[in-house]
Amino acid sequence: MIILKDKRILNFIVIALFTSLSMLWTSFIFHQQVEYSLLLSVIVLRSLSSLFIFKDYSLSWSKATQKTFLIKSIVNIVAFLVYLPIFYGDVRFAYMASELFFYLFSITFLMYSYYYLINRSNTKKIKSVVIYGAGKAGIKLASEFAGSEFKVLCFIDDNETLQKRSIDNVNISSSRTFRNKNKGMKFDLLIIAMPSADKKAINKAYDCLQTNFTEIQILPSLNDILQNNSYLNQLKNISVEDLLARHPQDLDKTKISEFIKGKTVLVSGAGGSIGSEICRQCQIFGVKKLILLDHSEYNLYAITEGLLDVEVISVMQSVVNKEALAKTFKIHMPDIVIHAAAYKHVPLVESNINEGIINNIIGTKNIIDTSIQYNVSKFVMISTDKAVRPTNVMGTTKRICELYAQNSNGKGTDIVAVRFGNVLGSSGSVIPKFKAQIENGKNITVTHPDITRYFMLIPEACELVLQAGAIGTGGEIFILDMGEPIKIVDLAKKMIELSGKEDVQIEFSGLRPGEKLYEELLIDDSDASTDYESITVATPTYYDIKTLNKDINELLACENQLEQLKVIVPEFNHQLN
């Protein structure tokens, strides 16, 4: 038993036994006597190669893969190249080559037979699974199902070159063929194993086959998947976020790393949905020090606890307090400032106009002025599509912030703004609200049947924000490509469908104050391209900075703040609904 537990001794026994068998068989085929000096030399050299090359002796046969076979082939070919010149002339080359190939065949056959027997399931296959995607991820998943209660019925792949073929006796079909063949039938599990696919491909797979399956799971995207971990453990139930995810293909991680690595970065609103993800991304890209600034104690605590591998300074402070801001900047001297602090909830700002003006406009003005005062290299402001032809106070305050950012540029600090739409899963997003309504068995409330919005995942938006900051030279308003706008009612239907709760209905509650049916990303169509398709630049709007400061001061002092907002932003068309 001790011998069997020591892999080196067991490996030597296997090599000696199978080398002897392959040598005997080869000698029989070639009608010649076994050369015992050759036999002994081959056993010794194969054993030494196995010990010292790739630790071949330690390879697990129960977890054998193509790589295992490749390693064993290399190990034995190295040994062959050592003993070949020694015995060449005394023993025919064809004899030695034939013996090597027979030995490799025997070892491989034994290894995969052992693999099959060990992983053969004693559990009755009681659940059916279909894997959408016959690439590397799908094949790995199929191998991991060995020994489980799931039986892989087939692969589905719309690559025509793969169809009508099979992988380990499991057929590959097209989605259309599978659907037509199994109309009205219901299987247990569909796995979408396409980590590099875009949302169109994932939506196509879901829409085509969702009626045929009780449960649908998906692998994470290529950026999030852990290659060295079990894929089965990384599967998750498909969500609306998976169906709406954009996964921009032109994300330049090298550019972002050059922008962030080794820098001191201050993030305002660091505890919010966008701010906290910006902080996490900065950590990933090698920031030297993070200054987290937020006036919410709980939010600041939550993000501080979540950042473990970077120097973090947590500052509980509001951007409205300019004197306190100046002290923070003087102490920490940030290289980069990312301004995510803002009131963003449209109806709440409509009900609290003065507070929205102070927090959004004055807060932004304060942090820009302080950044210039303390020679910050680059300032990046988070804006919103609601700033375009605004119909609400929140959007108008953000438009004024854009104007202040754009026209304050050129004083040693490169100031840029980044404009995008709704982010999935943020505190103000409809998705958490819809999820809560579904879980509580309530009907989903949608304001209007025709209302549409742009959507993007928070990590994707934040990565593109950093990329825009990296390429900005000052004065730009960058616009992130949000794809096509999505009808909120279609989003609600999809979430009900995913939940499996057919009794949940959709109710229309009417547009809220300041809310419009369609959001826009451009004031006009004259945007300019960048080196990245996912990022464009809006046409600059000139506003004399002295006049803008005077108009903002009047906004704070006047009684009719809505009228003064229209003076600064003439396209503001207030809708009370």
Side-chain angles (χ1 to χ4, degrees):
M1 291 300 293
I2 295 173
I3 290 174
L4 292 177
K5 286 182 179 179
D6 191 320
K7 284 183 173 290
R8 288 170 293 187
I9 296 174
L10 180 60
N11 188 58
F12 174 76
I13 292 171
V14 170
I15 289 172
L17 178 61
F18 276 83
T19 300
S20 300
L21 289 174
S22 63
M23 199 75 75
L24 284 169
W25 173 253
T26 308
S27 296
F28 173 75
I29 295 295
F30 279 80
H31 305 290
Q32 66 181 62
Q33 291 285 333
V34 174
E35 293 282 342
Y36 290 103
S37 59
L38 174 63
L39 173 62
L40 184 60
S41 298
V42 171
I43 290 172
V44 170
L45 286 168
R46 282 176 179 167
S47 299
L48 290 172
S49 293
S50 183
L51 280 172
F52 296 112
I53 302 177
F54 300 130
K55 290 188 177 180
D56 169 61
Y57 69 89
S58 66
L59 292 175
S60 172
W61 287 19
S62 63
K63 301 289 190 293
T65 64
Q66 294 94 328
K67 188 177 180 180
T68 312
F69 167 71
L70 180 62
I71 288 173
K72 287 203 167 288
S73 299
I74 292 170
V75 165
N76 288 290
I77 288 170
V78 168
F80 174 78
L81 293 175
V82 173
Y83 66 73
L84 174 64
I86 297 173
F87 293 95
Y88 186 73
D90 297 327
V91 182
R92 292 165 61 190
F93 172 80
Y95 176 92
M96 289 189 285
S98 297
E99 188 278 333
L100 171 66
F101 291 131
F102 184 75
Y103 175 81
L104 287 175
F105 168 78
S106 302
I107 287 291
T108 304
F109 181 78
L110 176 67
M111 183 172 63
Y112 282 115
S113 298
Y114 180 82
Y115 171 87
Y116 174 76
L117 290 170
I118 290 295
N119 292 295
R120 185 180 56 182
S121 174
N122 293 320
T123 308
K124 187 178 179 182
K125 303 286 187 178
I126 57 173
K127 293 186 177 180
S128 54
V129 60
V130 172
I131 299 175
Y132 198 115
K136 291 179 181 178
I139 293 169
K140 183 175 180 181
L141 273 171
S143 69
E144 290 181 6
F145 274 115
S148 74
E149 61 183 340
F150 283 93
K151 179 181 180 181
V152 180
L153 297 181
C154 73
F155 291 95
I156 295 177
D157 203 298
D158 291 322
N159 182 345
E160 293 182 2
T161 59
L162 296 176
Q163 291 163 15
K164 298 182 180 179
R165 298 185 181 185
S166 65
I167 300 171
D168 293 339
N169 259 358
V170 179
N171 291 330
I172 304 173
S173 172
S174 70
S175 55
R176 181 181 295 179
T177 301
F178 181 88
R179 184 184 59 190
N180 293 340
K181 186 178 177 182
N182 298 288
K183 279 183 179 177
M185 295 182 68
K186 202 87 168 178
F187 302 97
D188 294 302
L189 176 63
L190 172 68
I191 295 176
I192 300 175
M194 301 186 294
S196 60
D198 59 21
K199 71 172 184 179
K200 287 184 179 178
I202 293 171
N203 271 283
K204 179 184 175 185
Y206 176 84
D207 292 337
C208 180
L209 300 171
Q210 55 96 8
T211 56
N212 290 107
F213 292 90
T214 304
E215 187 178 5
I216 300 177
Q217 294 187 330
I218 188 170
L219 271 175
S221 69
L222 203 58
N223 289 335
D224 299 325
I225 198 167
L226 302 173
Q227 296 290 345
N228 296 323
N229 289 19
S230 165
Y231 280 15
L232 279 181
N233 294 335
Q234 297 182 68
L235 290 173
K236 62 187 181 71
N237 290 332
I238 193 166
S239 66
V240 69
E241 287 89 348
D242 296 312
L243 299 175
L244 297 181
R246 289 190 46 72
H247 304 308
Q249 300 299 307
D250 57 355
L251 186 67
D252 191 339
K253 293 189 176 183
T254 302
K255 196 80 175 176
I256 299 172
S257 181
E258 290 171 355
F259 176 49
I260 296 296
K261 192 171 183 179
K263 307 286 179 57
T264 297
V265 178
L266 184 148
V267 181
S268 71
S273 305
I274 296 293
S276 59
E277 182 60 28
I278 289 284
C279 293
R280 285 187 282 270
Q281 293 293 338
C282 285
Q283 179 179 255
I284 291 169
F285 288 107
V287 69
K288 177 185 175 183
K289 182 165 68 173
L290 268 173
I291 315 301
L292 312 183
L293 194 146
D294 202 296
H295 66 75
S296 166
E297 179 187 29
Y298 175 75
N299 287 352
L300 191 60
Y301 166 78
I303 184 58
T304 302
E305 290 296 298
L307 298 169
L308 304 175
D309 301 323
V310 65
E311 183 183 353
V312 171
I313 307 295
S314 301
V315 182
M316 194 157 59
Q317 195 173 89
S318 170
V319 290
V320 172
N321 189 333
K322 191 173 183 181
E323 289 73 21
L325 266 182
K327 288 180 182 178
T328 300
F329 274 68
K330 186 176 182 180
I331 293 169
H332 301 294
M333 297 301 291
D335 303 301
I336 299 167
V337 171
I338 301 173
H339 177 47
Y343 288 155
K344 305 179 182 75
H345 196 271
V346 170
L348 280 178
V349 175
E350 287 295 319
S351 302
N352 299 273
I353 293 174
N354 189 62
E355 288 74 13
I357 288 170
I358 292 172
N359 190 73
N360 290 1
I361 300 175
I362 302 306
T364 299
K365 183 177 181 298
N366 286 347
I367 198 167
I368 288 176
D369 292 346
T370 307
S371 295
I372 293 170
Q373 180 184 349
Y374 286 94
N375 302 311
V376 168
S377 173
K378 190 163 290 188
F379 180 97
V380 182
M381 187 194 89
I382 307 295
S383 189
T384 171
D385 56 357
K386 293 176 177 62
V388 179
R389 278 186 277 272
T391 58
N392 52 67
V393 174
M394 191 281 283
T396 309
T397 62
K398 294 299 284 183
R399 178 56 183 156
I400 294 171
C401 292
E402 287 184 350
L403 291 170
Y404 196 85
Q406 199 164 52
N407 290 280
S408 295
N409 188 63
K411 300 175 183 178
T413 299
D414 293 334
I415 301 171
V416 301
V418 184
R419 186 191 292 164
F420 54 93
N422 297 272
V423 286
L424 298 169
S426 70
S427 57
S429 169
V430 295
I431 290 178
K433 176 186 172 184
F434 288 174
K435 281 181 179 176
Q437 289 175 326
I438 292 170
E439 287 169 4
N440 294 324
K442 297 179 180 179
N443 290 339
I444 286 182
T445 53
V446 178
T447 57
H448 192 283
D450 295 325
I451 193 168
T452 65
R453 290 293 181 265
Y454 292 98
F455 285 100
M456 182 179 278
L457 289 181
I458 293 177
E460 296 167 2
C462 292
E463 286 171 333
L464 288 174
V465 164
L466 294 179
Q467 185 163 313
I471 65 175
T473 57
E476 302 100 335
I477 297 177
F478 291 106
I479 301 162
L480 304 188
D481 175 20
M482 303 291 292
E484 296 298 319
I486 296 165
K487 270 193 170 186
I488 300 298
V489 71
D490 291 340
L491 176 64
K493 289 175 182 176
K494 190 75 76 177
M495 291 185 69
I496 294 170
E497 197 176 84
L498 287 166
S499 73
K501 295 185 178 182
E502 298 177 359
D503 56 327
V504 175
Q505 303 296 317
I506 296 173
E507 297 176 355
F508 296 105
S509 57
L511 291 174
R512 298 171 297 179
E515 191 172 48
K516 59 181 178 180
L517 286 177
Y518 313 104
E519 299 290 4
E520 304 166 274
L521 288 165
L522 278 171
I523 292 175
D524 54 47
D525 294 328
S526 55
D527 61 321
S529 62
T530 67
D531 291 338
Y532 307 97
E533 287 185 8
S534 297
I535 304 172
T536 53
V537 185
T539 304
T541 304
Y542 175 74
Y543 201 127
D544 180 73
I545 195 64
K546 290 182 180 179
T547 305
L548 182 56
N549 272 308
K550 181 175 72 69
D551 289 344
I552 290 172
N553 289 334
E554 287 183 17
L555 175 64
L556 294 174
C558 70
E559 291 187 10
N560 193 336
Q561 290 180 309
L562 288 174
E563 285 302 316
Q564 183 61 17
L565 285 172
K566 290 179 182 178
V567 169
I568 304 173
V569 183
E571 65 270 22
F572 174 35
N573 180 22
H574 197 217
Q575 294 182 9
L576 298 176
N577 298 325

